[in-house]
Amino acid sequence: MANSANTNTVPKLYRSVIEDVINDVRDIFLDDGVDEQVLMELKTLWENKLMQSRAVDGFHSEEQQLLLQVQQQHQPQQQQHHHHHHHQQAQPQQTVPQQAQTQQVLIPASQQAAAPQVIVPDSKLIQHMNASNMSAAATAATLALPAGVTPVQQILTNSGQLLQVVRAANGAQYIFQPQQSVVLQQQVIPQMQPGGVQAPVIQQVLAPLPGGISPQTGVIIQPQQILFTGNKTQVIPTTVATPTPAQAQITATGQQQPQAQPAQQQAPLVLQVDGTGDTSSEEDEDEEEDYDDDEEEDKEKDGAEDGQVEEIHRSKNKWKFHLKDGIMNLNGRDYIFSKAIGDAEW
Amino acid sequence: MAYQLYRNTTLGNSLQESLDELIQSQQITPQLALQVLLQFDKAINSALAQRVRNRVNFRGSLNTYRFCDNVWTFVLNDVEFREVTELIKVDKVKIVACDGKMDEKIANQPYLLAVAPEELAPLTAQCSN
């Protein structure tokens, strides 16, 4: 990791902006009669998407850090071994090992014995998981819970019991102990919402671990969702972690067949009310991982820069740029500057 | 009224997408989402102005330029960005920049909304009972 300045400042800046915005809109939310829970959900969604986009390094959401603390409190000894794996995998890959909404606190049992349930260590989870996108609606749907129930936590305790901790919209926590069926089936629960929106939800069964553990042992469920945001709907069954920023993903490991419902197109929701600074759609492509130099000929861009102009100067065909206060996305990564000076020939 | 320029960045886009999701699940209204975005504009503008202190140089060849509605849009090719610590090369970059000085003046001007007299007539008619 060569870059020192930017990797330190950018995440911090983003964090502080997020904190400021969330705190400033808290009043607006309350005035509108919207629950604090929704505000937290907004924050979580926002942070998750930032993490998934990989534009920023070392960006951990607060909930993730809290969760790590909780893990440590529960199982100090066994967890340490765990954490080592967890962190090692987390940094280089930068996939999301734990998602704030559907969090799986995995506490390893004494594995050597014939544990009735398999607890998947975080490292393995990461291999199987992509940066999957979950929203509260999806997680709520998977559990077929009444509306208003939002984030879900699944906890595999030491004794091998699968607990589900659900945080309802009013802040109460419910703990479910579903039947100890060892292999949890896939469920596809389409949820029709009043607006006619379908949010099909897929529960995916992660394959049991390699290493000779019988397939009858328990399994972790990872609910996922196809998202329809804006104009993009992507359904990507993959067997390899392929990062796609903040869009719908369905991951399929090689060992099971996900029951994917066909993605449904709906009218794109146009939220953006932009005056100045609205760039053309091709700008979106800079968010994609675009390391292939071959394809790069005509279509995609490597970078985008938003900033303010101090001065633009031209002399014949020599242009000079004096820009300030800008955010750049170059080769997929974010950079920030207070001043940028450039030269170009037309 | 701060620049809405930064909505189309990683930070801004992830916020917009999150708000979209909440709207779709009907947890917030579009108006509320707009308020959040306006707040984001303020926050990011002030954060950039105050909390960032670094300099970048770049050089490349200019492919296209445009100036419309006080917004500059450039496309550069084969660009090198230089910061103290690192060098970044890209084959193509799009720069969108708002003209700072002009827009500040416009943004700070007070508004005057005028209603044409004809339109007032039905309103006055309603008021007089």
Side-chain angles (χ1 to χ4, degrees):
Chain A
M1 291 272 204
N3 358 326
S4 53
N6 241 296
T7 43
N8 281 334
T9 54
V10 172
K12 273 193 212 150
L13 187 87
Y14 283 7
R15 299 226 94 248
S16 70
V17 168
I18 292 180
E19 293 297 327
D20 286 345
V21 171
I22 295 292
N23 286 328
D24 289 335
V25 302
R26 179 165 283 125
D27 289 338
I28 307 178
F29 267 61
L30 293 178
D31 283 344
D32 250 31
V34 180
D35 196 52
E36 170 92 8
Q37 183 71 13
V38 181
L39 182 66
M40 287 299 115
E41 196 182 325
L42 172 66
K43 182 174 182 193
T44 312
L45 281 170
W46 194 2
E47 288 172 343
N48 282 347
K49 287 186 202 287
L50 274 174
M51 277 191 283
Q52 286 167 13
S53 77
R54 289 185 172 199
V56 180
D57 287 335
F59 192 90
H60 294 291
S61 73
E62 269 186 33
E63 281 214 33
Q64 224 185 36
Q65 288 171 347
L66 282 177
L67 200 65
L68 293 178
Q69 288 174 18
V70 165
Q71 270 186 346
Q72 281 166 354
Q73 280 168 14
H74 275 305
Q75 296 285 331
Q77 309 118 355
Q78 288 150 333
Q79 224 26 39
Q80 275 166 11
H81 168 72
H82 228 43
H83 263 284
H84 193 54
H85 265 293
H86 171 90
H87 279 303
Q88 272 183 351
Q89 287 277 356
Q91 254 79 46
Q93 284 191 12
Q94 288 198 324
T95 52
V96 180
Q98 287 165 343
Q99 311 232 348
Q101 281 140 345
T102 304
Q103 283 167 340
Q104 300 174 350
V105 178
L106 301 173
I107 301 159
S110 38
Q111 299 128 326
Q112 298 73 14
Q117 298 230 354
V118 159
I119 288 84
V120 183
D122 281 355
S123 55
K124 298 283 194 284
L125 240 196
I126 293 168
Q127 286 171 11
H128 286 290
M129 282 166 52
N130 279 359
S132 50
N133 221 346
M134 285 171 241
S135 82
T139 47
T142 48
L143 299 178
L145 287 167
V149 178
T150 48
V152 173
Q153 276 183 350
Q154 289 180 341
I155 300 178
L156 267 185
T157 63
N158 231 342
S159 59
Q161 284 186 331
L162 184 68
L163 301 181
Q164 287 171 348
V165 180
V166 177
R167 233 180 299 141
N170 59 4
Q173 281 193 351
Y174 305 93
I175 299 184
F176 295 92
Q177 250 186 5
Q179 58 284 10
Q180 280 225 11
S181 56
V182 172
V183 176
L184 299 165
Q185 295 299 325
Q186 297 178 5
Q187 292 177 20
V188 178
I189 306 174
Q191 190 182 38
M192 284 299 273
Q193 293 187 349
V197 172
Q198 258 207 4
V201 164
I202 295 152
Q203 270 184 346
Q204 203 172 42
V205 173
L206 288 180
L209 299 177
I213 303 179
S214 86
Q216 298 221 353
T217 51
V219 143
I220 315 300
I221 296 180
Q222 183 97 23
Q224 291 176 346
Q225 189 202 21
I226 307 174
L227 286 184
F228 313 100
T229 54
N231 293 321
K232 292 185 190 170
T233 306
Q234 285 184 3
V235 174
I236 307 174
T238 58
T239 55
V240 174
T242 311
T244 312
Q247 291 295 332
Q249 294 148 6
I250 300 174
T251 63
T253 63
Q255 289 159 346
Q256 60 259 26
Q257 296 103 19
Q259 296 167 9
Q261 277 202 349
Q264 252 195 357
Q265 287 277 343
Q266 63 183 43
L269 182 72
V270 177
L271 173 67
Q272 213 168 349
V273 180
D274 252 326
T276 60
D278 199 8
T279 57
S280 66
S281 63
E282 71 175 21
E283 174 99 43
D284 294 345
E285 295 179 73
D286 65 2
E287 300 286 349
E288 291 178 36
E289 296 289 315
D290 190 20
Y291 294 116
D292 299 333
D293 288 322
D294 326 322
E295 302 184 38
E296 196 273 315
E297 328 161 342
D298 43 8
K299 20 181 184 171
E300 280 124 13
K301 297 168 13 281
D302 290 351
E305 204 178 295
D306 285 342
Q308 299 177 27
V309 171
E310 271 189 18
E311 195 197 324
I312 306 276
H313 177 74
R314 177 194 69 85
S315 171
K316 294 221 169 148
N317 71 335
K318 305 270 186 280
W319 289 71
K320 290 200 195 305
F321 312 95
H322 291 250
L323 308 173
K324 64 176 186 181
D325 298 338
I327 301 179
M328 305 191 285
N329 182 288
L330 303 173
N331 293 330
R333 292 190 56 200
D334 272 9
Y335 303 86
I336 296 193
F337 62 83
S338 65
K339 259 169 105 74
I341 300 185
D343 281 291
E345 214 175 285
W346 182 71
Chain B
M1 179 91 171
Y3 291 121
Q4 300 180 359
L5 171 70
Y6 303 103
R7 292 190 189 181
N8 198 6
T9 56
T10 315
L11 195 59
N13 276 327
S14 42
L15 176 59
Q16 292 194 75
E17 286 168 13
S18 308
L19 289 170
D20 275 347
E21 283 179 34
L22 290 180
I23 291 177
Q24 282 185 11
S25 63
Q26 306 207 337
Q27 287 171 281
I28 62 174
T29 63
Q31 288 80 8
L32 181 59
L34 185 59
Q35 295 292 316
V36 176
L37 282 172
L38 291 173
Q39 197 57 44
F40 166 77
D41 292 334
K42 286 190 209 161
I44 187 71
N45 270 282
S46 93
L48 283 177
Q50 290 164 9
R51 284 180 228 161
V52 185
R53 285 278 169 262
N54 64 323
R55 203 171 122 155
V56 165
N57 287 327
F58 62 96
R59 177 178 296 276
S61 53
L62 185 63
N63 191 315
T64 61
Y65 58 89
R66 178 191 302 139
F67 183 60
C68 181
D69 290 336
N70 276 329
V71 177
W72 280 102
T73 307
F74 304 101
V75 177
L76 277 68
N77 289 118
D78 300 322
V79 197
E80 278 185 11
F81 287 85
R82 245 170 238 283
E83 206 172 349
V84 176
T85 47
E86 53 190 306
L87 169 70
I88 309 147
K89 289 195 194 183
V90 291
D91 289 327
K92 185 173 168 190
V93 70
K94 181 175 187 175
I95 302 180
V96 177
C98 291
D99 199 318
K101 292 166 266 190
M102 289 287 289
D103 222 72
E104 271 171 17
K105 284 190 218 156
I106 294 172
N108 291 334
Q109 275 178 2
Y111 287 76
L112 180 70
L113 294 177
V115 180
E118 311 86 286
E119 290 168 282
L120 276 177
L123 291 176
T124 53
Q126 283 174 14
C127 291
S128 57
N129 326 351

